[in-house]
Amino acid sequence: MAEHDSDREDREPEEQGVPFDEDAAWAAIVAGYGDEPKDPPGTKPFKSVEDLALPEPETNDDSEGDAPKQEKPKGPLGGSVSFAPGVGPRDYAAAEPSEDDFDEDDEGHFVPPEPPPLPTADATAKFAWLGVIGGPILLLLAVLLSWDMTWWLATLGIGGFLGGFATLVMRMKTDDEDDDDPGRGAVV
């Protein structure tokens, strides 16, 4: 970086032809402090929150003297677009499909088949789920209803949860079908 700066210092006065007066540049910056720079031509001036509902202002072109000034309205013109009832964008409904919409290749509207029924659970699984869900609910009810926490209530709540959880974990099916004889290799 230092090499580039030293090269720049040597070239800049020669290229500009005018010596650079740093004190004058700083004096110009300090004198212009707080002044807002002029907007570029074609841009719209900044609108405050109070003026957002007023009509759009003209752009900052240099031709402001040619056009006559319009008077500002005394109040806001309105802030939203209103639709007649039943005409707004949320009232749009797609047309119902008919048989004429389909080609010869189309088979018609897809109707999914009925899902298969859920498998029936055996009594062991039902009691395991009852313990997993019912144990914490029993303890929560005991706390909310200010019951005396007796040994049988705590044993039933905690033991039901732990026993049901252990039963469900032990009964989980594994997907390892190759456990019967892993050393045989490929079976054709």
Side-chain angles (χ1 to χ4, degrees), residues 167-179:
T167 303
L168 289 175
V169 169
M170 296 285 286
R171 293 175 52 101
M172 286 176 54
K173 293 181 181 177
T174 60
D175 292 336
D176 296 335
E177 297 174 1
D178 299 331
D179 286 343

Side-chain angles (χ1 to χ4, degrees), residues 45-136:
F46 175 76
K47 290 175 63 174
S48 66
V49 175
E50 294 83 20
D51 297 335
L52 285 178
L54 296 176
E56 289 292 321
E58 297 178 9
T59 59
N60 287 337
D61 291 333
D62 293 333
S63 61
E64 290 181 7
D66 299 341
K69 291 246 181 184
Q70 296 179 357
E71 294 182 18
K72 281 189 154 183
K74 295 188 182 319
L77 298 177
S80 64
V81 177
S82 60
F83 291 99
V87 183
R90 292 187 179 178
D91 297 324
Y92 176 77
E96 292 292 325
S98 65
E99 293 297 326
D100 298 334
D101 295 339
F102 300 114
D103 295 336
E104 295 83 26
D105 299 338
D106 293 333
E107 297 176 2
H109 183 68
F110 174 73
V111 178
E114 286 291 322
L118 294 174
T120 58
D122 57 343
T124 307
K126 289 179 184 177
F127 279 111
W129 279 111
L130 180 67
V132 167
I133 296 172

